[in-house]
Amino acid sequence: MGGMDEFITEESLAELIPAFYARVRQDPLIGPLFNEAIHDWPEHLGKLTAFWSSVMLTSGRYKGSPMVAHLRHIDSIKPVMFERWLEIWAETTADLIPPEAAAALQAKAARIGESLQLGLSFHAQRVA
């Protein structure tokens, strides 16, 4: 037995999210963007953990709009950055979480990334 539920928990997310963003911050491609954009990392990591808790555990802990948060950085975010984010996410989830749960997190991240990219490009076209 043993499905994803026992591996994707508040505790595992509270470990995964900071570990992931530690890698992101050291990445030559996307690290500078994140380090410049985020001034209070502990607060931001709390928000991100709440977001993933809401997405994967339907906890309702996250209050906010990812689209609005990313629109502020629309001029700096390039499509290749989404790809790099997903690569690091895939590596980190594979390292820290059993395969089935890691695959679920990766699939969810890919869908979220897709909708964010669509939203940002739609917004950019409207403004242009």
Side-chain angles (χ1 to χ4, degrees):
M1 185 90 183
M4 284 180 296
D5 297 349
E6 66 193 82
F7 298 118
I8 301 176
T9 62
E10 292 290 352
E11 293 73 26
S12 67
L13 291 172
E15 192 180 309
L16 173 68
I17 302 306
F20 169 68
Y21 280 98
R23 295 182 188 192
V24 163
R25 292 176 73 182
Q26 291 169 356
D27 186 74
L29 178 63
I30 62 176
L33 177 67
F34 279 88
N35 287 316
E36 194 178 305
I38 294 158
H39 305 293
D40 183 346
W41 272 99
E43 188 257 350
H44 196 63
L45 290 170
K47 204 178 280 184
L48 290 162
T49 304
F51 171 78
W52 281 99
S53 163
S54 296
V55 166
M56 299 307 291
L57 304 173
T58 60
S59 66
R61 292 205 305 118
Y62 178 76
K63 309 282 182 256
S65 164
M67 184 59 68
V68 170
H70 290 84
L71 274 174
R72 281 181 231 136
H73 310 288
I74 194 166
D75 295 333
S76 310
I77 300 174
K78 307 287 174 262
V80 67
M81 293 177 167
F82 279 96
E83 289 167 31
R84 184 64 191 133
W85 189 102
L86 287 169
E87 279 173 19
I88 301 170
W89 181 249
E91 290 163 10
T92 311
T93 52
D95 286 349
L96 298 181
I97 295 194
E100 189 188 339
L105 285 159
Q106 291 160 19
K108 184 65 84 169
R111 285 197 296 276
I112 292 166
E114 225 169 84
S115 62
L116 266 180
Q117 268 187 285
L118 284 171
L120 291 174
S121 66
F122 175 74
H123 187 83
Q125 286 164 4
R126 282 182 42 219
V127 174

